[in-house]
């Protein structure tokens, strides 16, 4: 793979390597993102304001990586080194639907109320075998129809080679409603005292985090982690 000695220096060419990762910038490794964003806003008048927003998004790549120093690097191998595009599928951060609603109202004197509602359809789950089947020293190998589904069916759609597509399982959705109530008393010389009550996840919705897609795990596709349940706080503020 390195006949001219450009990748491995001469003093290291006799070393025995477990694997060599070569980082390249290629068109076939590009990430594609498209979205449609809609919003309707009611500016503050008649003692209230509000906004609703919706985003329909689609993000695809061959290997989601981590940003390091302004560049994105990926420490995994592809299913086919000669054709990385075979791994082209949903990114780790692909969230198809996002809805956000918010309003703020001052219905009477110093009484105020507000709410923020958010819905996310969730990030995808990558179904993996859980073992280094192809010997490339990573555990990102995906199951193949007729080979790895004799005991457990493959949950992901499969590509033309019968291999589970990357990030092929829909993840857990997230639903959150936060509320805020306040009352502010005006005092002489522009002083105020405010009482605040804030409620997070007011509906006490169980928002599970994505389960593991490792088929060898005893917790395969079983949600075991959830976000915060309903919490609230009281506040007192004096301004002068």
């Amino acid at each position: 793979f390195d006949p001219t000695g450009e990748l491995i220096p001469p003093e290291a060419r006799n070393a025995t390597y477990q694997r060599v990762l070569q980082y390249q910038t290629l068109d076939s490794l590009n990430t594609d993102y498209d979205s449609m964003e809609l919003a309707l806003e009611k500016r503050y008048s008649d003692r209230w304001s509000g906004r609703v927003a919706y985003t329909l998004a689609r993000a695809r790549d061959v290997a989601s990586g981590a940003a390091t120093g302004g560049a994105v690097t990926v420490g995994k191998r592809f299913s086919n080194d000669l054709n990385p595009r075979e791994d082209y599928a949903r990114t780790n951060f692909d969230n198809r639907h996002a809805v956000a609603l918010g309003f703020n109202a001052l219905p009477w004197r110093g009484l105020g109320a507000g709410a923020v509602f958010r819905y996310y359809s969730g990030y995808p789950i990558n179904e993996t075998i859980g073992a280094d089947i192809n010997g490339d020293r990573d555990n990102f190998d995906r199951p193949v129809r007729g080979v790895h589904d004799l005991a457990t069916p493959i949950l992901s759609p499969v590509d033309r080679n019968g291999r589970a597509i990357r990030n092929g399982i829909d993840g857990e959705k997230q639903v959150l409603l936060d509320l805020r109530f306040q009352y502010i008393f005006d005092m002489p010389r522009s002083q105020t005292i405010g009482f605040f009550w804030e409620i997070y996840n007011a509906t006490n919705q169980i928002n599970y985090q994505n389960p593991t897609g490792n088929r060898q795990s005893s917790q395969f596709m079983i949600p075991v982690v959830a976000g915060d349940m309903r919490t609230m706080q009281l506040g007192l503020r004096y301004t002068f």
Side-chain angles (χ1 to χ4, degrees), residues 98-189:
V99 178
L101 297 90
F103 84 90
N104 184 55
L106 299 173
W108 182 72
R109 294 187 178 180
L111 178 64
V116 176
F117 172 81
R118 289 163 289 162
Y119 167 84
Y120 306 105
S121 56
Y123 299 129
I125 301 170
N126 191 33
E127 185 174 5
T128 63
I129 300 171
D132 183 14
I133 299 298
N134 59 8
D136 63 1
R137 304 193 65 80
D138 68 30
N139 290 324
F140 295 100
D141 302 0
R142 303 190 303 278
V144 177
R145 183 173 54 197
V147 178
H148 304 113
D149 57 350
L150 301 181
T152 303
I154 298 174
L155 302 183
S156 303
V158 298
D159 59 21
R160 61 183 180 181
N161 298 313
R163 182 184 293 110
I165 65 173
R166 198 175 118 261
N167 287 339
I169 302 176
D170 291 335
E172 298 289 335
K173 69 179 185 297
Q174 304 291 307
V175 181
L176 290 166
L177 175 64
D178 301 331
L179 302 176
R180 173 185 172 92
F181 303 94
Q182 67 183 43
Y183 196 94
I184 298 177
F185 294 92
D186 292 325
M187 301 175 63
R189 297 185 298 278

Side-chain angles (χ1 to χ4, degrees), residues 38-60:
L38 304 174
L40 180 63
E41 182 173 359
K42 196 268 185 186
R43 296 182 179 180
Y44 183 78
S45 63
D46 298 327
R47 304 183 67 85
W48 75 282
S49 64
R51 188 176 191 272
V52 56
Y54 169 71
T55 300
L56 174 65
R58 183 179 186 270
R60 295 289 187 274

Side-chain angles (χ1 to χ4, degrees), residues 71-86:
V72 176
T73 59
V74 178
K76 66 175 290 293
R77 293 284 295 271
F78 303 106
S79 300
N80 181 358
D81 285 341
L82 301 180
N83 184 14
R85 212 63 178 173
E86 287 185 6

